């Protein structure tokens, strides 16, 4: 059974940085695609970044709104997936969720493609 436990986040000034961490437990084959989503009230959940965890390689994907500012990073020793967020903007304010799916990351921007979810972590960026 896959479990995803999130930590990190909080508040930052615009231009600052925050780090989110997702500790994953369970069969790796159920977590070959891992992603971070975010959601603000009244809007649908938005894919922010994802990583395909192949046997021989990893591939990362980013939404255009965060590319160059956010980095999704694996720590295989700790079995965590981190989201490093730099140059934060007020538009980054949202509840952030870690997600996992088996298979590839072809549909990584679609929340219904993910079977497992973390509990959510609030990120607030003030200008």
């Amino acid at each position: 059974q896959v479990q995803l436990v999130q930590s990190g986040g909080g508040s930052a000034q615009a231009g600052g940085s925050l780090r989110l961490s997702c500790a994953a437990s369970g069969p790796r084959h159920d977590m070959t695609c891992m992603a971070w989503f975010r959601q603000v009230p009244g809007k649908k959940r938005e894919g922010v970044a994802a990583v395909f965890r192949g046997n021989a390689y990893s591939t990362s994907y980013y939404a255009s709104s965060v590319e160059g500012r956010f980095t999704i990073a694996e720590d295989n020793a700790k079995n965590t997936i981190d989201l490093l967020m730099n140059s934060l903007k007020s538009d980054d304010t949202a509840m952030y969720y870690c997600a996992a799916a088996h298979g590839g990351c072809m549909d990584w921007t679609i929340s219904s493609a993910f079977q497992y979810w973390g509990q959510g972590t609030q990120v607030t960026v003030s200008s």
Side-chain angles (χ1 to χ4, degrees):
Q1 181 71 17
V2 172
Q3 285 192 320
L4 305 176
V5 179
Q6 297 177 220
S7 60
S11 300
Q13 296 283 330
S17 300
L18 286 172
R19 182 187 194 108
L20 302 178
S21 187
C22 177
S25 60
R28 183 180 172 91
H29 60 80
D30 281 338
M31 299 183 284
T32 49
C33 181
M34 296 197 69
W36 287 94
F37 282 76
R38 66 187 181 188
Q39 189 171 25
V40 296
K43 293 190 176 182
K44 68 177 183 179
R45 206 163 284 191
E46 171 194 23
V48 175
V51 58
F52 172 69
R53 309 162 77 202
N55 289 331
Y57 66 93
S58 294
T59 304
S60 300
Y61 307 87
Y62 296 95
S64 58
S65 58
V66 306
E67 189 151 21
R69 301 188 297 119
F70 290 12
T71 302
I72 188 167
E74 295 180 84
D75 185 329
N76 287 321
K78 297 179 180 178
N79 209 22
T80 60
I81 302 291
D82 292 350
L83 186 67
L84 312 176
M85 304 182 289
N86 296 318
S87 302
L88 284 163
K89 304 176 180 180
S90 57
D91 287 348
D92 296 320
T93 295
M95 184 71 79
Y96 284 71
Y97 297 89
C98 173
H102 55 258
C105 282
M106 295 78 67
D107 297 321
W108 76 268
T109 61
I110 302 173
S111 59
S112 60
F114 291 82
Q115 294 82 39
Y116 308 101
W117 291 88
Q119 78 275 21
T121 302
Q122 178 67 36
V123 169
T124 303
V125 183
S126 56
S127 56

